[in-house]
Amino acid sequence: MLFSQIPRISLLTEPTLLEKAAHFGDTIGHSSLWIKREDVMGLGMGGNKVRSLEFWLGEALEKGCDIVLAAGLPPSNLCRLTAAACCRLNLDCEIIHNAAPSNTKPRRGDSRFLYDLMGVRQIYCGPVDEQARKAFVEERAQELKDQGRNPYILGDPVVGALGYVAAAQELLFQAEQKHIDLRHVFISASAGPTEIGLLFGLRLMGGPDLHVHLVSVEYPAHTFWPIAQEIWQGLCEKLHVTPPLSLQYNTHFYEEYLGPGYAKHSPETWLALRLLARTEGIFLDTTYNAKVFAGLTDLCQKGHLPTDEAAVIFHTGGVPTLLMREE
């Protein structure tokens, strides 16, 4: 089996939903549109990072680690889900934010509120960039080692990408069971483990007629592809297998739906968010998924996507951020 020699824990009790978005599809002129509901999971209000955490925390436990360090901005889905997973595993966890600390008590609508409920410690290293945050995390890990602890710094992109290699396998099985002639898969792209793992898995196990559509939410193509190639090569080495199809085979990368930039909204973002809510009762975050749905809508309306060929769009979660106040 593909993952038989790789440490992994179980955080998903069953496959996530693959459901048809008939009303939304009719509205934008697509006759066979499906949504892979990664936002509906039992842990921490769901999201794509749960799949990566199965492998990250599996590795941590195999190494005998007794505390996990995760870093991100205060609304980070990765941080929230890491905290939730560590609570389930009875594993100590510290969340490090590159933001200024707040002197007010955590309350509903505040990103700190969920961490407060879970009893997880948050550390603020100030409004620094990612490199400075990384250095801070490494310093904190050394402090913990000096205290006799065995910390695990979460985030290795190749290990995390394994979660979405598994998701590709799951999706292809579901499509076969539902007799879906799957031709198109859409997902957000920020040069992280999710989209590269999915792409790797689909190229390894899917057919040559399958098109993968990556809607950028962070980087232009010239930045994205070198990062993607590095993760792809790491997966080849870790799994001891090379997909028969290349990284960019039938892969379409879109920069034009990025809008003003990462985590910045555009009018099209909000139109897509409202449209899905009003047609399917499904909510989206504005940083990742609303931009993907906006891109899909535009491609359909411009005739750039065959509207009679089955397409799946991954909803990777993040909805709790929609309810958080700006900090």
Side-chain angles (χ1 to χ4, degrees), residues 36 38 51 162-172 198 314:
K36 182 68 167 150
E38 303 287 270
R51 292 190 185 272
L162 295 169
Y164 267 79
V165 178
Q169 188 175 47
E170 179 180 297
L171 171 63
L172 293 170
L198 179 68
F314 270 77

Side-chain angles (χ1 to χ4, degrees), residues 67-86:
I67 185 168
V68 172
L69 303 182
L73 292 168
S76 166
N77 296 298
L78 169 63
C79 290
R80 167 175 51 85
L81 289 167
T82 299
C86 287

Side-chain angles (χ1 to χ4, degrees), residues 66-104:
D66 59 6
I67 185 168
V68 172
L69 303 182
L73 292 168
S76 166
N77 296 298
L78 169 63
C79 290
R80 167 175 51 85
L81 289 167
T82 299
C86 287
C87 286
R88 177 172 292 185
L89 297 172
N90 194 27
L91 186 61
D92 285 349
C93 174
E94 289 184 353
I95 302 299
I96 296 170
H97 296 308
N98 50 323
S102 173
N103 294 322
T104 61

